[in-house]
Amino acid sequence: MKLDRRVLLRGAVAGGGLAALQGLMPAWAQTGSPGLRADLPTLTGANIDLTIGQTPFTVNGRTGTATTINGVLPAPVLRLREGQTVRLAVTNQLDEDTSIHWHGILLPFQMDGVPGISFPGIRPRETFVYEFPVRQSGTFWYHSHSGLQEALGHYGPIVIDPAGVDPVAYDREHVLVLSDWSFMHPHEILDKLKKSPGYFNRQRTTLAGLLDGSDRMSLEERRMWGQMRMDPRDILDVNGSTYTYLINGHGPQENWTGLFRPGERVRLRIINASAMSIFNIRIPGLPMTVVQADGENVRPVETDEFQISVAETYDVIVRPTEDRAYTIVSEAIDRSGLGRATLAPRLGMTAEVPPLREVPNLTMKDMGMGDMGGMAGMDHGAMGAQPGAAMAGMEHGATTGASGGAMAGMSHSAMGPQSAGAMPGMDHGSMAGMNMRDPENAPPDMAVGVGVDAIAMAPANRMGERPTGLQNVPHRVLVYTDLVSLEPNKDQRPPSRMMEIHLTGNMERFMWGFDGRKFSELVEPIRFERNERVRVTLVNDTMMAHPIHLHGHFFELVTGGPAGHQPLKHTVNVPPGGKVSFDLTADNPGDWAFHCHMLMHMHAGMFNVVTVRPMAGASS
């Protein structure tokens, strides 16, 4: 069966029967929002046809060309059921190859949709049929894995209903696809970033901001950042200076609206399908109860705001009791713009759209230096034991230009050469122009060359910390350590080995990679034996957040939560200067993509292949 909700709702509105029709619809089909387009069409059943082509797309009164599926942006909702087998015939009407990756879906690797890894891609005017059993339930999405097509609109949501009773009770449901849109072609965006990484940053600190205090930085902090040639507001590579932030394909002025009846439990399935944008999500005046993360059910936890990185999904329950409208806010983490939608009892209602909040500043912790502000009086006698030298990776021995006298009260009796760094109160005269590398203190497997401009000296586990820009907001904020798996995790074996992977880059050259190597350098794949249990630690040596995604698997975040109930995810955001550990059961054989889901970071090299093969002596 195929149900085009767009056509259904259009007919209902034309007949004046929307309210009556909603009483006959399942919860997932009850909606609103005529907007510029009707609400997202939905496709269901065992056989689904999808056509990829180019379509005019209008936002804020301006029209461009989008890469779409079945002519709409976002693509249609695919509504599947756990236990079924689905057959998806994808026809390519573009003049270039394309593909579809089923993000977060557990399937045979030949159906995963990554050209050059799991299949050749779909050539122009050809059709490829994906077919696989549906083994899970939850909120997921699908998108191109070819070139930069994802940034042009090639993405859509997947909702999989459980085979049994859904543990999440709700009366109505809305799918919210968050994304970013620019009329500048993504290849031009990437070209500008390679020539000038700060091209889109219009929020730098200024002399006026220093004088009037609005930059919230001391003169010494400004001096330190300046000497290191780093920008404390370089938070998103591409931002609201070129992006319009969309919710279900609608810009803020177009105001996508979802309906509710006061007192209903409304489930919002929130998907970050953007190319390069991390969002902070809140609904002023309406608490949210998180019930699912990346399609996996979690113990309900109530919050007022959460951060959703690229490619993550969160399901929340809200229960509006008043006959009033509420604004759904998806604010870019650098505060350069926001997406806006509305929950309301009736179409045409609006609520106040809050102004953008102040731009956050990065800190020493974001440089992988730990809490190293205000260092006067601290004993650094043991600093020689620190395992790296983010300092920005000074060349070995560059500490000789530092003025010890400027660090009054500090004991440096045992400081090794790797411990030197740009610290408040230091004489930074020798630091200008440093290339941020310390090859003698790099991990043994890291290639330290032009692709590495920093090695974190003190990377911290930050999963229990409030994320960027939300440290001081006066309400509750979700953190990863709040997530607890609803059901016991299937594999509770301790890991049999450890693996450390460094997320590296050269921000000035817009080069990104794993362990100092980009994918084009013919790096060795990451190898696992089938069914082995491995603890993987991701260390972010850069000052940018990286949402890291592993295809074909879920991994268990090491949060310190209840044993056997630590959260399962397919994508995890690794904050700047931070580290994240997860336990992986490599139970899906084949070759799988492993990459940063910032599209242009992946395109610039932060990509590798995870290969899972039978264990020694196994027959299959």
Side-chain angles (χ1 to χ4, degrees), residues 262-285:
E264 287 183 323
R265 288 172 56 87
V266 182
R267 182 175 191 163
L268 304 178
R269 298 182 182 265
I270 304 172
I271 301 165
N272 188 348
S274 67
M276 294 291 290
S277 303
I278 302 173
F279 297 108
N280 293 326
I281 307 298
R282 70 192 195 275
I283 308 175

Side-chain angles (χ1 to χ4, degrees), residues 193-316:
L193 288 173
K194 288 181 176 180
K195 292 177 180 176
S196 175
Y199 181 88
F200 295 100
N201 186 1
R202 307 291 189 265
Q203 302 184 124
R204 295 185 178 91
T205 53
T206 63
L207 177 60
L210 173 66
L211 296 176
D212 65 20
S214 61
D215 280 350
R216 308 182 312 283
M217 296 183 69
S218 68
L219 179 61
E220 187 61 29
E221 288 175 306
R222 285 284 299 277
R223 182 185 177 197
M224 177 189 68
W225 286 99
Q227 291 287 356
M228 291 186 295
R229 297 183 180 177
M230 290 185 173
D231 181 358
R233 292 183 174 174
D234 190 2
I235 296 171
L236 290 176
D237 295 302
V238 193
N239 57 25
S241 64
T242 187
Y243 279 150
T244 298
Y245 297 115
L246 308 179
I247 298 182
N248 289 351
H250 291 60
Q253 299 173 9
E254 297 156 7
N255 190 27
W256 181 92
T257 301
L259 298 179
F260 69 85
R261 293 189 183 94
E264 287 183 323
R265 288 172 56 87
V266 182
R267 182 175 191 163
L268 304 178
R269 298 182 182 265
I270 304 172
I271 301 165
N272 188 348
S274 67
M276 294 291 290
S277 303
I278 302 173
F279 297 108
N280 293 326
I281 307 298
R282 70 192 195 275
I283 308 175
L286 195 59
M288 300 174 287
T289 299
V290 177
V291 294
Q292 196 176 95
D294 283 1
E296 290 287 326
N297 293 321
V298 297
R299 294 178 185 174
V301 54
E302 189 173 272
T303 191
D304 298 302
E305 187 163 11
F306 64 90
Q307 186 171 107
I308 183 169
S309 195
V310 180
E312 290 187 304
T313 75
Y314 284 96
D315 285 27
V316 303

Side-chain angles (χ1 to χ4, degrees), residues 30-31 172-176 256 258-259 266-269:
Q30 298 182 31
T31 185
R172 188 189 300 262
E173 172 184 283
H174 296 297
V175 176
L176 301 178
W256 181 92
L259 298 179
V266 182
R267 182 175 191 163
L268 304 178
R269 298 182 182 265

Side-chain angles (χ1 to χ4, degrees), residues 517-531:
R517 302 173 180 90
K518 57 184 180 179
F519 186 61
S520 62
E521 296 174 355
L522 301 176
V523 297
E524 280 292 308
I526 301 169
R527 301 181 186 279
F528 297 102
E529 292 187 330
R530 186 175 182 181
N531 292 323

Side-chain angles (χ1 to χ4, degrees), residues 133-194:
V134 179
R135 301 166 43 194
Q136 63 207 105
S137 62
T139 302
F140 306 96
W141 62 296
Y142 60 110
H143 60 84
S144 174
H145 231 288
S146 300
L148 301 179
Q149 293 171 2
E150 187 183 336
L152 290 166
H154 188 321
Y155 50 80
I158 301 174
V159 176
I160 306 176
D161 294 308
V165 176
D166 195 328
V168 179
Y170 59 97
D171 304 303
R172 188 189 300 262
E173 172 184 283
H174 296 297
V175 176
L176 301 178
V177 181
L178 315 179
S179 60
D180 41 30
W181 172 264
S182 176
F183 288 98
M184 184 182 295
H185 194 280
H187 284 293
E188 184 179 352
I189 291 176
L190 182 58
D191 184 62
K192 290 184 182 300
L193 288 173
K194 288 181 176 180

